[in-house]
Amino acid sequence: MSPIDSEWFYQKLDQGDKSLRDLARFMSLDPSAVSRMLKGERKMSADEQDDIAAFLGINLEEVAAHRRGKVFGFEETKQGSYDATGSLDTPPVKMFTKDDIVYKDGKRWMEKEDGTLIELHPAYGCMAGTITVMPGVDLTAPMDWEEEWGEKLYNE
């Protein structure tokens, strides 16, 4: 079964002076099913994850992160692990770029800081050059429906 951070879940129950039986009652489940779920012997559904977050009174993202056990980021691209609190204690590191690719034996590799090579997935870079974002365009900005696009989308 998939790993789960069981210790974290039991700590959260203890911190709130709540029991596994209280959680099972809240979720309308048998206590043994909840016990097996928190031990990783049974998968936790998305609805059960939501119920646990509501019962413990904590952020859903935090429950989701611990549901999967120790969570790693994309270490091969030098990205750190996921932090459910949303804060960055350390500044972000330089990400992997096409200049870091090592060509060897007809394959593409990336060199880690310790000198070991990681083979790149064949799909890496397959979308390069397929879209151009013009200077000054913010793709995260909300759309202004009063301008041209709103008119085109809904009135033509």
Side-chain angles (χ1 to χ4, degrees):
M1 201 56 40
S2 63
I4 186 170
D5 190 354
S6 299
E7 184 179 322
W8 181 85
F9 283 98
Y10 286 110
Q11 284 176 353
K12 289 297 180 183
L13 286 170
D14 288 343
Q15 287 173 1
D17 290 326
K18 299 176 181 182
S19 70
L20 186 112
R21 288 190 178 278
D22 294 335
L23 176 60
R25 198 173 306 111
F26 180 81
M27 297 174 69
S28 302
L29 292 174
D30 187 74
S32 65
V34 175
S35 176
R36 286 187 328 221
M37 177 178 59
L38 294 183
K39 289 179 183 176
E41 298 170 2
R42 170 186 171 286
K43 282 191 174 184
M44 181 187 301
S45 73
D47 288 337
E48 291 168 342
Q49 173 184 279
D50 295 350
D51 288 345
I52 291 172
F55 179 76
L56 295 174
I58 57 178
N59 195 343
L60 178 61
E61 288 81 13
E62 203 171 349
V63 173
H66 291 280
R67 169 186 177 187
R68 296 181 291 161
K70 183 157 175 60
V71 180
F72 299 99
F74 295 102
E75 291 179 347
E76 67 274 9
T77 57
K78 303 177 187 173
Q79 178 179 336
S81 61
Y82 175 72
D83 178 14
T85 62
S87 64
L88 290 174
D89 294 335
T90 58
V93 296
K94 176 187 170 281
M95 296 298 285
F96 176 66
T97 66
K98 64 181 180 179
D99 297 331
D100 297 324
I101 296 175
V102 176
Y103 295 92
K104 180 180 175 185
D105 302 326
K107 296 182 179 178
R108 299 176 306 163
W109 304 81
M110 183 201 78
E111 186 174 1
K112 291 175 70 173
E113 290 177 0
D114 63 1
T116 58
L117 293 177
I118 299 173
E119 184 177 355
L120 293 175
H121 190 277
Y124 176 81
C126 69
M127 299 297 292
T130 59
I131 187 171
T132 302
V133 179
M134 299 306 292
V137 173
D138 181 4
L139 296 176
T140 63
M143 188 173 192
D144 186 0
W145 292 103
E146 300 300 321
E147 290 192 21
E148 179 181 358
W149 279 104
E151 188 67 29
K152 283 187 178 183
L153 286 173
Y154 292 107
N155 295 329
E156 286 187 9

